[in-house]
Amino acid sequence: MNILQTARETFGWAKSKIPNNAELEIYASQGRGRSVLWSEQKCEQVSQAEGGGAGIRVILKEKNGAGRQGFAFSTRLTKDSIEQTAQKALESAQKLEQDEFRRIPAGPLSPSMTADGSFFDKSVFSETVTSLQERLKSKEALLLKQYPLLKSVLRAGYSEGMGETAIINSCGIETAYDGTHCSLGVSCLVEKDGERQEGGYGLSRIFRNELDWDSIFDQSARRSIALLGGQPIPSGETPVVFDPSVACEFLSLVSGAVCADSVQKGKSFLAGKIGQSVSSGLVSIVDDGTLKKGLGTSPVDDEGVPTQRTPVIEAGQLKNYLYDTYTALKDRTRSTGNASRAGFKSSPGPGTSNFYLCAGKTPREQILKDTRGLYLYEVMGLHMADPISGDFSVGVIGAKLENGEFKSGVRSVTLAGNILDMLKKIDAVGTDLTFFGATGSPTFRVSGLTVSGK
């Protein structure tokens, strides 16, 4: 039985417990995954899992048009379990206050087909666990031979999975899709003159053949070695070059700030700034649920609304927030296809799909060659940034950069600033757009940020 047929049966069982004045939605998903963890010349762990379930959303409609929303979920897709779960969702709705914007999106809607076929890899699970272990063992041995400063490969882990999702509601939406993912991450321990440092690197992709194992292992070793000899640098303002991995972490601050629920709650440094200049003209940021081979790509969002490409910042100007159905109704606009869930155990809210800073016109090598300053490999404490003001203060690990060369490691340094000020000071954007998960960025340079060192 496929996931759509399962959702149809589930919908029928739940519908029998819901009154006529209620809207009903079923979000059903199932999937399986496995992982292999290699550590210091031996296999540390092999794990496999599978599971699924259904989330049931009920909106009781009042005569004035307002709604009361209830939600419950079940990991057992049997008739008795689904009927009981629907009853729980109904009872929850009956206890909550009315909300004039609570409703389920109406259909039928035509799913986005621009991403058709670009989010499922038939080769996932084609390789045996024994073969994966041998590959990890071989890559570890080669790396240890290639880099004399490498003490050990602390962890090298490969994981992959596939899943199916179906959404059916009482307002005309019925849709289903599937997808795959795979990841490889490596962390290394390096040593020189009694000093030890740990670093790593990893990537996730939809297609197995797009994970370059050689490059990921090599990047992990190189990044770890670059941290050796780390010392504080003088306090003051200095140009800062953001590695794409670090850039993606800062982009998470922007992605949270453009989700409509944060804006509506007054918890966003971008609230009330639509149409205003909020960054350098070199900055264009997009959310694109239709992006070919994107990890966040799907034909519909988690309410069944078609995904789309949404310009967020265009040449420095803030263009759009990201909406699900509820937040769109509150702002008297339409959903941007950005309803998101943490799985069948949660109800939807605004979230990103594939969120990225568009590639610029300056090669990465040129940015490095033209910069005398700080290169960032890692930041710590970014989750403590103020979402309302955009202020941040983070510990950083990086390298001194001069004439395109990394001169020495940098650590025990704090970087402080404001995300809007930082965006406005971006004076070079690289061509090397790289995705880490569903967030992407090229290398970019900020003309000056405040560093507290020695």
Side-chain angles (χ1 to χ4, degrees):
M1 182 182 294
N2 63 33
I3 191 65
L4 184 57
Q5 183 59 35
T6 299
R8 286 169 177 161
E9 289 193 1
T10 302
F11 185 85
W13 296 331
K15 185 67 175 175
S16 67
K17 297 297 180 180
I18 305 301
N20 293 331
N21 69 326
E23 296 177 349
L24 171 66
E25 175 193 76
I26 300 294
Y27 178 96
S29 65
Q30 60 187 22
R32 62 190 181 104
R34 66 176 183 175
S35 62
V36 179
L37 177 62
W38 190 268
S39 177
E40 298 184 309
Q41 303 184 43
K42 65 180 182 298
C43 184
E44 189 76 20
Q45 185 181 57
V46 175
S47 61
Q48 301 187 58
E50 60 180 282
I56 299 177
R57 188 159 56 130
V58 173
I59 299 181
L60 285 175
K61 302 302 294 183
E62 305 295 335
K63 291 182 180 179
N64 61 6
R68 304 173 189 264
Q69 176 173 290
F71 178 81
F73 69 89
S74 175
T75 57
R76 297 175 59 239
L77 300 179
T78 62
K79 185 174 186 295
D80 288 345
S81 179
I82 292 301
E83 288 179 346
Q84 292 172 13
T85 304
Q87 187 65 37
K88 290 178 183 178
L90 176 60
E91 291 172 356
S92 176
Q94 291 169 336
K95 296 175 183 177
L96 297 177
E97 295 183 358
Q98 297 182 26
D99 188 328
E100 63 178 305
F101 304 110
R102 280 294 176 200
R103 69 189 69 167
I104 285 171
L109 299 170
S110 298
S112 164
M113 298 306 293
T114 59
D116 185 40
S118 68
F119 39 85
F120 192 87
D121 181 2
K122 295 180 180 179
S123 72
V124 166
F125 293 102
S126 64
E127 190 170 355
T128 67
V129 169
T130 300
S131 175
L132 289 170
Q133 291 173 332
E134 287 300 320
R135 288 180 71 185
L136 291 168
K137 178 181 179 180
S138 172
K139 298 301 181 186
E140 176 195 46
L142 181 62
L143 205 65
L144 287 168
K145 183 178 180 180
Q146 185 176 359
Y147 292 99
L149 296 177
L150 185 59
K151 184 75 173 178
S152 68
V153 175
L154 296 175
R155 289 173 297 279
Y158 174 81
S159 63
E160 61 187 4
M162 61 173 58
E164 298 177 285
T165 300
I167 304 167
I168 300 178
N169 72 29
S170 56
C171 298
I173 287 179
E174 180 178 299
T175 186
Y177 60 93
D178 53 16
T180 58
H181 62 86
C182 56
S183 302
L184 176 64
V186 182
S187 62
C188 295
L189 179 67
V190 295
E191 183 177 16
K192 182 180 182 181
D193 299 330
E195 178 195 357
R196 291 188 171 191
Q197 295 294 341
E198 179 182 342
Y201 189 71
L203 293 174
S204 299
R205 296 289 183 262
I206 287 177
F207 293 90
R208 297 176 71 245
N209 63 7
E210 293 188 354
L211 276 182
D212 187 335
W213 284 51
D214 289 335
S215 176
I216 291 171
F217 271 82
D218 188 66
Q219 283 277 5
S220 176
R222 287 177 177 271
R223 286 167 178 256
S224 302
I225 291 169
L227 303 180
L228 289 168
Q231 297 290 332
I233 58 176
S235 298
E237 187 168 288
T238 186
V240 178
V241 176
F242 286 67
D243 182 86
S245 61
V246 176
C248 286
E249 293 188 56
F250 276 86
L251 276 181
S252 69
L253 298 180
V254 180
S255 67
V258 296
C259 285
D261 55 345
S262 297
V263 175
Q264 292 168 355
K265 293 173 183 176
K267 296 182 178 181
S268 166
F269 56 84
L270 290 173
K273 289 183 166 58
I274 291 292
Q276 296 182 23
S277 176
V278 295
S279 71
S280 157
L282 298 177
V283 173
S284 290
I285 296 174
V286 170
D287 184 86
D288 190 355
T290 70
L291 183 68
K292 187 175 182 180
K293 299 184 180 181
L295 272 175
T297 296
S298 61
V300 296
D301 69 4
D302 284 344
E303 289 183 304
V305 175
T307 55
Q308 65 179 44
R309 183 183 190 276
T310 304
V312 174
I313 295 176
E314 202 168 68
Q317 187 178 83
L318 182 63
K319 292 292 187 179
N320 293 289
Y321 298 131
L322 303 179
Y323 291 96
D324 65 350
T325 297
Y326 176 72
T327 54
L329 288 169
K330 290 186 75 172
D331 276 1
R332 293 178 172 79
T333 186
R334 65 180 185 86
S335 171
T336 55
N338 282 97
S340 178
R341 307 181 195 233
F344 68 86
K345 296 182 180 181
S346 68
S347 56
T352 59
S353 54
N354 299 295
F355 192 85
Y356 62 97
L357 170 63
C358 297
K361 297 181 179 180
T362 308
R364 169 185 163 86
E365 294 75 15
Q366 191 64 47
I367 294 176
L368 301 183
K369 183 178 179 180
D370 293 345
T371 306
R372 182 185 179 92
L374 173 64
Y375 186 91
L376 294 187
Y377 277 116
E378 187 178 334
V379 296
M380 297 154 288
L382 193 58
H383 64 285
M384 299 296 290
D386 189 327
I388 299 174
S389 67
D391 291 337
F392 64 86
S393 179
V394 295
V396 302
I397 297 176
K400 289 177 66 176
L401 182 62
E402 291 182 23
N403 300 320
E405 296 183 4
F406 299 121
K407 293 296 185 180
S408 62
V410 173
R411 59 190 312 109
S412 302
V413 164
T414 299
L415 191 69
N418 178 277
I419 188 67
L420 282 174
D421 291 341
M422 188 190 92
L423 290 172
K424 290 177 180 178
K425 290 181 178 180
I426 292 177
D427 64 357
V429 178
T431 57
D432 57 330
L433 173 59
T434 306
F435 277 84
F436 295 85
T439 305
S441 177
T443 302
F444 66 76
R445 182 180 62 210
V446 176
S447 61
L449 285 172
T450 300
V451 172
S452 296
K454 61 183 178 181

PDB file of all heavy atoms in Angstrom, residues 54 79 102 124 151 164 188 197 247 286 352 392 397 416 454:
ATOM      1  N   ALA A  54       0.601   9.637  11.312  1.00  0.00           N
ATOM      2  CA  ALA A  54      -0.281  10.645  10.730  1.00  0.00           C
ATOM      3  C   ALA A  54      -0.604  11.727  11.752  1.00  0.00           C
ATOM      4  O   ALA A  54      -0.852  11.436  12.929  1.00  0.00           O
ATOM      5  CB  ALA A  54      -1.574  10.012  10.226  1.00  0.00           C
ATOM      6  N   LYS A  79      -7.469   1.598  12.211  1.00  0.00           N
ATOM      7  CA  LYS A  79      -8.767   2.270  12.280  1.00  0.00           C
ATOM      8  C   LYS A  79      -9.045   2.776  13.703  1.00  0.00           C
ATOM      9  O   LYS A  79      -9.420   3.945  13.898  1.00  0.00           O
ATOM     10  CB  LYS A  79      -9.873   1.328  11.823  1.00  0.00           C
ATOM     11  CG  LYS A  79     -11.267   1.956  11.743  1.00  0.00           C
ATOM     12  CD  LYS A  79     -12.256   0.971  11.147  1.00  0.00           C
ATOM     13  CE  LYS A  79     -13.616   1.619  10.918  1.00  0.00           C
ATOM     14  NZ  LYS A  79     -14.277   2.013  12.188  1.00  0.00           N
ATOM     15  N   ARG A 102      -8.054  31.114  11.266  1.00  0.00           N
ATOM     16  CA  ARG A 102      -7.797  29.683  11.265  1.00  0.00           C
ATOM     17  C   ARG A 102      -8.639  28.982  10.207  1.00  0.00           C
ATOM     18  O   ARG A 102      -9.864  28.934  10.288  1.00  0.00           O
ATOM     19  CB  ARG A 102      -8.116  29.079  12.627  1.00  0.00           C
ATOM     20  CG  ARG A 102      -7.041  29.286  13.659  1.00  0.00           C
ATOM     21  CD  ARG A 102      -5.779  28.537  13.300  1.00  0.00           C
ATOM     22  NE  ARG A 102      -4.701  28.820  14.264  1.00  0.00           N
ATOM     23  CZ  ARG A 102      -3.435  28.633  14.028  1.00  0.00           C
ATOM     24  NH1 ARG A 102      -3.051  28.165  12.846  1.00  0.00           N
ATOM     25  NH2 ARG A 102      -2.518  28.894  14.939  1.00  0.00           N
ATOM     26  N   VAL A 124      19.694   5.110  -3.587  1.00  0.00           N
ATOM     27  CA  VAL A 124      19.794   5.074  -2.137  1.00  0.00           C
ATOM     28  C   VAL A 124      19.476   3.660  -1.643  1.00  0.00           C
ATOM     29  O   VAL A 124      18.533   3.024  -2.134  1.00  0.00           O
ATOM     30  CB  VAL A 124      18.852   6.112  -1.503  1.00  0.00           C
ATOM     31  CG1 VAL A 124      18.671   5.876  -0.020  1.00  0.00           C
ATOM     32  CG2 VAL A 124      19.392   7.521  -1.741  1.00  0.00           C
ATOM     33  N   LYS A 151      46.431  13.119  13.421  1.00  0.00           N
ATOM     34  CA  LYS A 151      46.577  12.133  14.485  1.00  0.00           C
ATOM     35  C   LYS A 151      45.592  10.985  14.323  1.00  0.00           C
ATOM     36  O   LYS A 151      45.949   9.813  14.446  1.00  0.00           O
ATOM     37  CB  LYS A 151      46.355  12.818  15.840  1.00  0.00           C
ATOM     38  CG  LYS A 151      46.577  11.921  17.051  1.00  0.00           C
ATOM     39  CD  LYS A 151      48.049  11.678  17.292  1.00  0.00           C
ATOM     40  CE  LYS A 151      48.265  10.920  18.596  1.00  0.00           C
ATOM     41  NZ  LYS A 151      49.694  10.639  18.826  1.00  0.00           N
ATOM     42  N   GLU A 164       8.141   9.156   2.273  1.00  0.00           N
ATOM     43  CA  GLU A 164       6.960   9.490   1.491  1.00  0.00           C
ATOM     44  C   GLU A 164       6.028  10.338   2.345  1.00  0.00           C
ATOM     45  O   GLU A 164       5.916  10.124   3.557  1.00  0.00           O
ATOM     46  CB  GLU A 164       6.208   8.225   1.075  1.00  0.00           C
ATOM     47  CG  GLU A 164       6.970   7.267   0.190  1.00  0.00           C
ATOM     48  CD  GLU A 164       6.146   6.029  -0.084  1.00  0.00           C
ATOM     49  OE1 GLU A 164       6.026   5.185   0.835  1.00  0.00           O
ATOM     50  OE2 GLU A 164       5.605   5.900  -1.202  1.00  0.00           O
ATOM     51  N   CYS A 188      38.354  15.379  12.273  1.00  0.00           N
ATOM     52  CA  CYS A 188      39.746  14.932  12.399  1.00  0.00           C
ATOM     53  C   CYS A 188      40.419  15.543  13.623  1.00  0.00           C
ATOM     54  O   CYS A 188      40.074  16.647  14.060  1.00  0.00           O
ATOM     55  CB  CYS A 188      40.539  15.349  11.160  1.00  0.00           C
ATOM     56  SG  CYS A 188      39.998  14.555   9.637  1.00  0.00           S
ATOM     57  N   GLN A 197      44.250  19.943  17.739  1.00  0.00           N
ATOM     58  CA  GLN A 197      43.044  20.650  17.309  1.00  0.00           C
ATOM     59  C   GLN A 197      42.112  19.669  16.607  1.00  0.00           C
ATOM     60  O   GLN A 197      42.553  18.707  15.979  1.00  0.00           O
ATOM     61  CB  GLN A 197      43.384  21.807  16.367  1.00  0.00           C
ATOM     62  CG  GLN A 197      44.185  22.929  16.981  1.00  0.00           C
ATOM     63  CD  GLN A 197      43.413  23.691  18.048  1.00  0.00           C
ATOM     64  OE1 GLN A 197      42.197  23.623  18.110  1.00  0.00           O
ATOM     65  NE2 GLN A 197      44.149  24.415  18.887  1.00  0.00           N
ATOM     66  N   ALA A 247      28.782  31.240   6.661  1.00  0.00           N
ATOM     67  CA  ALA A 247      27.797  32.142   6.054  1.00  0.00           C
ATOM     68  C   ALA A 247      26.390  31.571   6.184  1.00  0.00           C
ATOM     69  O   ALA A 247      25.428  32.302   6.454  1.00  0.00           O
ATOM     70  CB  ALA A 247      28.150  32.376   4.586  1.00  0.00           C
ATOM     71  N   VAL A 286      17.147  34.267  -1.784  1.00  0.00           N
ATOM     72  CA  VAL A 286      15.967  33.615  -2.363  1.00  0.00           C
ATOM     73  C   VAL A 286      15.558  32.427  -1.503  1.00  0.00           C
ATOM     74  O   VAL A 286      16.401  31.752  -0.905  1.00  0.00           O
ATOM     75  CB  VAL A 286      16.286  33.130  -3.798  1.00  0.00           C
ATOM     76  CG1 VAL A 286      15.181  32.228  -4.336  1.00  0.00           C
ATOM     77  CG2 VAL A 286      16.487  34.325  -4.728  1.00  0.00           C
ATOM     78  N   THR A 352      11.372  27.801   5.935  1.00  0.00           N
ATOM     79  CA  THR A 352      12.065  27.916   4.651  1.00  0.00           C
ATOM     80  C   THR A 352      12.042  26.594   3.903  1.00  0.00           C
ATOM     81  O   THR A 352      11.788  25.533   4.478  1.00  0.00           O
ATOM     82  CB  THR A 352      13.522  28.341   4.866  1.00  0.00           C
ATOM     83  OG1 THR A 352      14.192  27.376   5.689  1.00  0.00           O
ATOM     84  CG2 THR A 352      13.583  29.704   5.551  1.00  0.00           C
ATOM     85  N   PHE A 392      24.603  40.531  17.674  1.00  0.00           N
ATOM     86  CA  PHE A 392      25.229  39.248  17.960  1.00  0.00           C
ATOM     87  C   PHE A 392      26.629  39.452  18.524  1.00  0.00           C
ATOM     88  O   PHE A 392      27.288  40.461  18.277  1.00  0.00           O
ATOM     89  CB  PHE A 392      25.310  38.364  16.707  1.00  0.00           C
ATOM     90  CG  PHE A 392      26.174  38.920  15.609  1.00  0.00           C
ATOM     91  CD1 PHE A 392      27.549  38.691  15.585  1.00  0.00           C
ATOM     92  CD2 PHE A 392      25.615  39.677  14.588  1.00  0.00           C
ATOM     93  CE1 PHE A 392      28.350  39.211  14.576  1.00  0.00           C
ATOM     94  CE2 PHE A 392      26.410  40.200  13.564  1.00  0.00           C
ATOM     95  CZ  PHE A 392      27.781  39.963  13.562  1.00  0.00           C
ATOM     96  N   ILE A 397      36.528  30.822  15.393  1.00  0.00           N
ATOM     97  CA  ILE A 397      37.782  30.129  15.061  1.00  0.00           C
ATOM     98  C   ILE A 397      38.023  30.359  13.578  1.00  0.00           C
ATOM     99  O   ILE A 397      37.113  30.219  12.761  1.00  0.00           O
ATOM    100  CB  ILE A 397      37.689  28.624  15.360  1.00  0.00           C
ATOM    101  CG1 ILE A 397      37.483  28.389  16.857  1.00  0.00           C
ATOM    102  CG2 ILE A 397      38.937  27.901  14.880  1.00  0.00           C
ATOM    103  CD1 ILE A 397      37.275  26.940  17.222  1.00  0.00           C
ATOM    104  N   ALA A 416      31.685  40.735  17.157  1.00  0.00           N
ATOM    105  CA  ALA A 416      30.427  41.360  17.565  1.00  0.00           C
ATOM    106  C   ALA A 416      29.925  42.297  16.486  1.00  0.00           C
ATOM    107  O   ALA A 416      30.704  42.887  15.734  1.00  0.00           O
ATOM    108  CB  ALA A 416      30.618  42.115  18.887  1.00  0.00           C
ATOM    109  N   LYS A 454      43.382  40.310  21.525  1.00  0.00           N
ATOM    110  CA  LYS A 454      44.393  40.647  22.545  1.00  0.00           C
ATOM    111  C   LYS A 454      44.630  42.151  22.597  1.00  0.00           C
ATOM    112  O   LYS A 454      44.205  42.892  21.735  1.00  0.00           O
ATOM    113  CB  LYS A 454      45.687  39.919  22.239  1.00  0.00           C
ATOM    114  CG  LYS A 454      46.329  40.266  20.894  1.00  0.00           C
ATOM    115  CD  LYS A 454      47.557  39.425  20.672  1.00  0.00           C
ATOM    116  CE  LYS A 454      48.178  39.737  19.300  1.00  0.00           C
ATOM    117  NZ  LYS A 454      49.376  38.907  19.044  1.00  0.00           N
TER     118      LYS A 454
END
